[in-house]
Amino acid sequence: MNSILGVVVNDLNPLKALKKAHSLGINSCHLYAPTSEWHSNELLARIKAEITKVQVTVTAVICVVPGEDYSSIETVRKTVGLVNPKTRKERMNWITECSSFAKGIGVSILQGHLGLFFPDRNTLQYNTLIEDVRRIADYLKLNDRQFFALETGQESGEELLQVIQDVDRRSEERRVGKECRSRWSPYH
């Protein structure tokens, strides 16, 4: 397998997900974070052994949150990511669990959906969201220098750049940016 193509494998059973990627001839994938029962040392060891066996590199763990609904823009606003303050604390706890899972299988990148928002820097909702994203970034930095890849909704590039600047964790962005440039430089 010499492909540079990676896939997101939509299966909460990581062993099945790795076998799916391998069966497609794909050697790189993002795994959905499985439910908590997969986070034991015994099962982490089985997953790591399967990664070695099928020779698939897991490049990121996606923090899929139970209860997210993408059926309409309105349900996305209410159910996806960290935007909703009623579910944020529980979801931040889930991200820390996903971080431990990722660390246990040797993955340094977590991907998570921030949610659909329209950045208004003058609102309490926006500022508390930014502060909580900072907390996540700080936690991940301490947990083997993990990196949180934010997925968002309908924001413009300028709005997303503003969010990144407001989170203000540039040293990690530069580190990861350099890693990405060095990995992809032969292809650009």
Side-chain angles (χ1 to χ4, degrees), residues 48-61:
K48 286 171 70 172
E50 188 68 21
I51 289 168
T52 301
K53 178 182 169 188
V54 299
Q55 298 180 344
V56 171
T57 300
V58 179
T59 51
V61 169

Side-chain angles (χ1 to χ4, degrees), residues 6 17 44 46 48 59 64 75-76 82 90 107 111 113 116-118 120 125 127 130 152-153 164 173-174 182 185:
L44 291 172
R46 283 182 56 198
K48 286 171 70 172
T59 51
V64 177
T75 60
V76 168
L82 298 173
E90 174 186 328
V107 176
Q111 178 183 337
H113 205 300
L116 182 62
F117 68 101
F118 299 96
D120 180 351
Q125 182 180 9
N127 287 297
I130 294 300
T152 64
I164 292 168
E173 292 164 22
R174 281 195 293 270
S182 68
S185 61

